[in-house]
Amino acid sequence: KTGVRGWCLKFMSMKLQACLVLLMVRAAAHSNLIWPKPRNAIDSQDPRWADGKSPDIWQPQLGPVLGQACACRNGSETCNIGQACLWMSVGCSIGCQECDGGQDGHGGTNPNSKDRCAGGKNATNNDPLHRTFNRGCTGSCIGSDKDWTRFNPWRAPGSAPVYDPCGRAGGGPMPTAGKGDYVTTAFAKLGDMGSKLPRQPSGAVWKAGEVVEPLWSVRANHGGGWQYRLCPADADLTEACFQSNPMEFAGNSKMMMSNGTMLPLNSTFVSTGTLPAGSTWQMLPIPMTRGGPDLQQMGYQFDPPCYDPTPPAVLGQGICSGEWISNITMYDSVRVPANLPAGDYVLGFRWDCESSAQVWQACSDVTILAA
């Protein structure tokens, strides 16, 4: 009897571990545009999120600040961004006309290894040094079944469809696995479109042609890369409008690491196979802790940009690496287009993921003065 009981307990434990791993695999990517403060941070006006608080805690063991859903660091200031990390587009493959929200039988979006609409588009970002997963897939492997990220947004930066250029609350019309949800407030609810949010003056006043420094952070890491764009505030906030004014990176970015030290980066810029054609994106320099089409292969997907002795772990975080990240911030160097007329604009942030069929977005109100 003892032997049978022991075997049963061991079997149940194995099943529980498998379930936990499956749940962790499905965790969705999340990011925060921190400055200029985005419209998507509107819920910071709700008393539950005031002064950097949050009722939505993902990691209680980290405490009420680092453990909250949209945990982030804003230098020495409070990171007061509400639910900004929950505005995204879910179920988006390159070559598709629209996202599926992870619904209607299409299945989970993270990790994703399928063409979600059978559009057949080939990946255009194939240089292994420009990819954040599966870098060993080169030559004849590209485009094969072993090239499991080939349908995801970062494999053709800017080409995947989105629900809205400023994101959608919760990522789609219904909640999805892996934190694809949204706490209803008086200001926003699940399924709302970010471009319909009211203007939220950020205080950012820039000059045409000058170099500026936006801040953003990853909350849940799925690799890929990002770009900033501009659209006149009085225009329709469409993806086409933002694509007409991509901002160029003016130099390498910096990273405030989890230990509070600022790290100058040797940024990886990508301008081949991008949309708008020839526009520049930046590859995420924070390596994920595991890879493979089922995310079961433990190990950093490329070398961390700093000396990081932290061993890779499921949902772990190091000094400049990690999966669930609470306090690593990117400081970017981007140039305002010199030919822009003075006026009010909306800054669009777009992060295309590589291991998942997801795009994260945010929009901030900025004023641009003549050069």
Side-chain angles (χ1 to χ4, degrees):
K1 291 182 179 179
T2 302
V4 172
R5 181 182 180 187
W7 183 90
C8 289
L9 289 172
K10 182 178 180 180
F11 178 73
M12 291 172 64
S13 176
M14 291 171 60
K15 289 182 67 177
L16 177 60
Q17 291 176 25
C19 289
L20 288 173
V21 169
L22 180 61
L23 287 171
M24 290 185 287
V25 161
R26 294 182 180 275
H30 295 78
S31 70
N32 301 295
L33 179 59
I34 299 171
W35 192 87
K37 188 174 181 177
R39 296 181 179 187
N40 312 77
I42 190 169
D43 290 322
S44 63
Q45 301 174 40
D46 186 306
R48 293 174 292 174
W49 280 269
D51 302 319
K53 299 191 300 290
S54 173
D56 191 6
I57 303 297
W58 287 359
Q59 296 169 286
Q61 73 276 16
L62 298 182
V65 177
L66 294 182
Q68 60 185 248
C70 294
C72 58
R73 171 189 276 171
N74 184 16
S76 60
E77 299 180 18
T78 300
C79 200
N80 191 21
I81 44 76
Q83 298 185 87
C85 75
L86 299 173
W87 294 82
M88 62 277 199
S89 297
V90 171
C92 316
S93 286
I94 63 174
C96 295
Q97 295 299 310
E98 59 186 8
C99 303
D100 61 44
Q103 309 295 328
D104 301 326
H106 291 281
T109 62
N110 173 53
N112 180 73
S113 58
K114 58 187 173 185
D115 186 347
R116 304 184 69 84
C117 67
K121 180 178 174 63
N122 293 324
T124 56
N125 179 20
N126 294 318
D127 186 331
L129 296 181
H130 293 169
R131 305 199 315 259
T132 52
F133 284 87
N134 201 23
R135 286 185 164 189
C137 183
T138 60
S140 61
C141 176
I142 298 295
S144 72
D145 288 345
K146 294 181 179 179
D147 186 11
W148 63 270
T149 71
R150 66 192 185 279
F151 301 120
N152 293 335
W154 181 240
R155 294 301 301 277
S159 296
V162 293
Y163 278 117
D164 188 280
C166 298
R168 189 173 189 179
M174 299 177 65
T176 58
K179 305 297 184 182
D181 47 20
Y182 197 90
V183 178
T184 298
T185 70
F187 308 103
K189 64 183 183 304
L190 181 78
D192 283 356
M193 301 297 185
S195 62
K196 304 304 180 184
L197 290 171
R199 295 189 185 188
Q200 302 284 323
S202 67
V205 179
W206 298 339
K207 287 185 179 180
E210 80 169 334
V211 175
V212 296
E213 189 176 66
L215 277 63
W216 77 284
S217 67
V218 172
R219 181 63 175 98
N221 185 2
H222 296 304
W226 72 98
Q227 185 184 63
Y228 297 95
R229 308 90 61 80
L230 291 164
C231 179
D234 57 359
D236 289 336
L237 300 182
T238 63
E239 186 68 10
C241 181
F242 283 104
Q243 288 178 348
S244 67
N245 289 300
M247 299 180 74
E248 292 296 312
F249 290 96
N252 291 328
S253 295
K254 297 177 293 184
M255 176 194 295
M256 180 172 282
M257 299 182 289
S258 65
N259 62 7
T261 302
M262 191 69 77
L263 173 71
L265 294 169
N266 183 18
S267 298
T268 298
F269 299 111
V270 179
S271 57
T272 299
T274 60
L275 187 70
S279 65
T280 303
W281 295 61
Q282 185 172 169
M283 188 193 81
L284 186 67
I286 305 172
M288 169 63 161
T289 60
R290 52 195 173 122
D294 54 3
L295 296 184
Q296 297 300 303
Q297 299 172 14
M298 294 303 302
Y300 290 126
Q301 298 304 290
F302 53 93
D303 291 336
C306 71
Y307 170 69
D308 195 338
T310 312
V314 175
L315 304 187
Q317 176 186 331
I319 301 172
C320 61
S321 61
E323 180 173 1
W324 275 21
I325 299 166
S326 299
N327 56 356
I328 297 176
T329 306
M330 298 298 304
Y331 290 67
D332 292 327
S333 177
V334 295
R335 187 177 301 278
V336 181
N339 59 348
L340 279 184
D344 292 329
Y345 287 81
V346 177
L347 172 72
F349 170 81
R350 173 170 169 154
W351 169 32
D352 282 18
C353 297
E354 183 173 0
S355 67
S356 61
Q358 301 167 329
V359 176
W360 253 255
Q361 303 132 294
C363 286
S364 304
D365 291 287
V366 300
T367 297
I368 295 179
L369 306 178

